[in-house]
Structures are given as structure tokens and as C-alpha cells.
Amino acid sequence: VVYTSGSTGLPKGVAVPHACLLNLARFYEEAFLLTPEDRGTQIASPAFDASIWELWPLLAAGASVHVPDEERRLSASGMVRWWSEERISVAFLMTPLAEAVLEEGIPAGLALRALSAGGDRLHRGPSPGAGLHSGFRLMNVYGPAECTVASTVAWVPEQGESARLPSIGRPLDNLRTYVLDRTGEPAPQGVPGELLIAGLGLARGYLHRPEQTAEKFVPDPFAAFRGEAGARMYRTADLVRW
């Protein structure tokens, strides 16, 4: 059970099946090519669902997990120095801190090869002057706790200040995403609509809150095309464009 308040400020328990956690861990392992030699980080509070994204894929791959002190956790320059000292190879940062790190620049010789950012959309990608080495990759991560932390991801290319906003990407393996209008029909390409998520990521629902579960976890009308019965979608209430 992962607790989330969303935008309400009232905590809700989200019941996440083991299969969904396994799907998340497998995706992360394959996307980041994790090995037991990797050195990852635990930055997010254990009370925050992002800690699941950080912790379990690393442990499942046999990689080591490193935890910074509070001072470095909140500082872009302190984080980069800590990465260097600990020879960190893969890391996660909340979006504001990730943007601050990219703005400050990453020094040459750092072992870091992949950074994921989440908690908010990335407002820009790394600039050409960020000092990133050729093998470095940045992943933009989006997802609610109700869909096992991460639902869509995108590798963000290097870009200038005038480039468009980085995309939140495409769904993880075994997940599906829909952009629907107010009538529940697919929104045309480029037209804003609500993002709904389906597949092997959906939680069972809210713990002991059947009415809220029924409101947010709704039947998937598109499942019939795949011959599935009883499939559900999660209503994110987030507006996106395809």
C-alpha cells in the first residue's frame, strides 16, 4: 500500500499488486541496462512513491543503493559532488532539482550515465552547454501512484532554449494510454484531452474507499478490441496532447 494525497491533501492508500511492481522493475532494468556493477541512488523520501522507482529495480538487478545526507539531497552542486564521490552511475531526481543540475552543468569524468526526472513535467531539456558526455541519457518520467509510480517515459534529447517542451513520452511495457475528450471519445491529434491509463500498472484501487475507487478506476471501453473482459482505466485528470 502506497499513500498519496494527490492535489487534495487528504492521504489515500493505493493498493498496488505485486505483478505491477514486477513490471515496473523489469522495465527499469531493461531501459537502464542495469547490472550488479551499477551504483544507484535513493533520493526520494520512503513516504513518496518515487522511492519505489529508485529502490526496487536496483535491488532486483543486484545493484547497490546509495543514500545522500539531507544537505546534499537539496543542493544541485552538492548532489553532483556526491555523485562524483560515490561513483554513481544511475540516478533519479525530482524535476526542479534535475533542472537545476542540468542548468549548472555536469562535469566531465562523472560516472553517471543515466538520470531520470519525475514529479512534474520537465520544462526544458539539457542545453548544448550543459557539459554532458556522449553516453549520458536523460529520461522524463510521468505517472501517478495509482498506476505504480511510472506510466510514461521519454528519453530527452539535448536541445536549445528555443526548443519545445520535452514530451512525457509513451507508455511503459504492458501499459496503454488514451487521450479522451469530455464525451469519452479519443481526442484528435494535437487537441488537449484527459489522459487515461490502462494495463499492467493499475492499482487494485483505494484501500477501504470503494466510492473513490469506482470514480477514478473506470471500465475500459476499448478492451473489447483486444478480447478482454472487465478491463479498467485510471482517470488521471491530467490534460495532455497526443
Side-chain angles (χ1 to χ4, degrees):
V1 177
V2 179
Y3 279 86
T4 177
S5 63
S7 59
T8 67
L10 300 174
K12 303 183 295 291
V14 180
V16 178
H18 179 268
C20 295
L21 178 59
L22 180 61
N23 189 65
L24 180 78
R26 282 180 170 170
F27 171 83
Y28 190 110
E29 285 187 61
E30 293 176 3
F32 288 86
L33 303 174
L34 293 182
T35 73
E37 285 69 44
D38 274 308
R39 301 169 67 86
T41 63
Q42 173 87 44
I43 304 297
S45 163
F48 181 37
D49 67 340
S51 63
I52 297 171
W53 170 262
E54 294 182 283
L55 183 62
W56 294 109
L58 290 168
L59 295 181
S64 58
V65 180
H66 302 257
V67 183
D69 57 42
E70 196 65 21
E71 182 179 351
R72 299 194 185 197
R73 188 193 304 267
L74 301 175
S75 164
S77 57
M79 182 60 62
V80 171
R81 287 196 302 271
W82 180 72
W83 283 343
S84 179
E85 294 167 4
E86 298 294 325
R87 306 190 310 283
I88 299 300
S89 58
V90 293
F92 167 83
L93 289 178
M94 295 299 296
T95 300
L97 186 55
E99 291 179 336
V101 166
L102 294 172
E103 181 72 22
E104 186 167 305
I106 297 178
L110 206 65
L112 189 73
R113 59 181 179 81
L115 172 65
S116 55
D120 189 9
R121 65 176 184 177
L122 273 172
H123 295 84
R124 59 186 179 278
S127 65
L132 306 180
H133 59 78
S134 60
F136 177 85
R137 304 190 76 190
L138 171 66
M139 177 183 278
N140 195 18
V141 181
Y142 162 86
E146 289 87 346
C147 299
T148 317
V149 186
S151 302
T152 70
V153 297
W155 293 110
V156 180
E158 187 177 272
Q159 58 187 167
E161 293 295 329
S162 61
R164 66 181 183 179
L165 288 173
S167 167
I168 62 169
R170 295 181 176 275
L172 272 66
D173 297 343
N174 302 310
L175 273 70
R176 302 183 302 279
T177 52
Y178 304 97
V179 183
L180 304 184
D181 63 20
R182 293 181 180 179
T183 68
E185 293 296 320
Q189 186 171 354
V191 176
E194 181 182 3
L195 176 63
L196 285 87
I197 302 169
L200 188 57
L202 266 65
R204 293 189 177 96
Y206 298 115
L207 192 65
H208 307 314
R209 297 195 179 190
E211 292 183 358
Q212 283 186 308
T213 297
E215 178 185 354
K216 297 291 286 186
F217 294 84
V218 298
D220 180 356
F222 307 102
F225 296 107
R226 298 184 306 278
E228 295 181 16
R232 303 175 303 151
M233 304 187 294
Y234 174 73
R235 298 192 61 178
T236 67
D238 289 332
L239 292 179
V240 298
R241 283 189 293 266
W242 175 48

